[in-house]
């Protein structure tokens, strides 16, 4: 699966295989200048390949571009920020 094929849609990013969504991340506005990462999903056959990290990074890139802070409501996003100290500057406090 090519990580370069990750596509944007309103409220998230996703990856399709033969027209079926096989990986996705969603976020939602939480007030002025804040979004919440609500959900991350990777189909079982694609897990362990770094796709979830790539999806979180897409949201991080979006947040940086839009000057937003992030609430990692999804457990995977929380784990991502636990492991990646440099990106913690984007966390909403």
């Amino acid at each position: 699966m090519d990580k370069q094929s990750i596509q944007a849609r309103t409220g998230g990013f996703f990856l399709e295989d033969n027209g079926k969504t096989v990986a996705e991340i969603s976020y939602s506005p939480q007030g002025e200048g804040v979004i919440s990462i609500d959900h991350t999903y990777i189909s079982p056959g694609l897990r362990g390949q770094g796709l979830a990290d790539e999806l979180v990074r897409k949201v991080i890139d979006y947040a940086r571009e839009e000057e937003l802070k992030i609430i990692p409501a999804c457990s995977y996003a929380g784990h991502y920020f636990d492991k990646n100290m440099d990106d913690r500057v984007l966390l909403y406090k």
Side-chain angles (χ1 to χ4, degrees):
M1 190 67 33
D2 181 11
K3 294 176 188 175
Q4 300 299 319
S5 300
I6 294 174
Q7 301 174 56
R9 65 176 160 217
T10 302
F13 296 90
F14 68 102
L15 183 62
E16 286 187 342
D17 185 20
N18 293 320
K20 181 180 177 190
T21 300
V22 293
E24 66 184 339
I25 192 166
S26 63
Y27 59 85
S28 59
Q30 297 297 310
E32 185 72 27
V34 181
I35 59 172
S36 171
I37 298 177
D38 304 316
H39 172 74
T40 304
Y41 170 76
I42 307 297
S43 64
L46 297 175
R47 292 178 186 164
Q49 298 178 28
L51 283 174
D53 278 4
E54 286 296 317
L55 291 170
V56 173
R57 283 197 218 45
K58 289 284 189 182
V59 176
I60 287 170
D61 291 345
Y62 168 76
R64 281 195 171 113
E65 289 170 13
E66 299 296 322
E67 299 181 4
L68 302 170
K69 294 292 185 177
I70 298 171
I71 299 169
C74 152
S75 62
Y76 187 84
H79 292 299
Y80 176 90
F81 283 102
D82 287 345
K83 296 183 299 184
N84 296 279
M85 304 290 250
D86 292 344
D87 293 320
R88 287 186 187 176
V89 298
L90 293 173
L91 290 176
Y92 179 74
K93 296 177 182 172

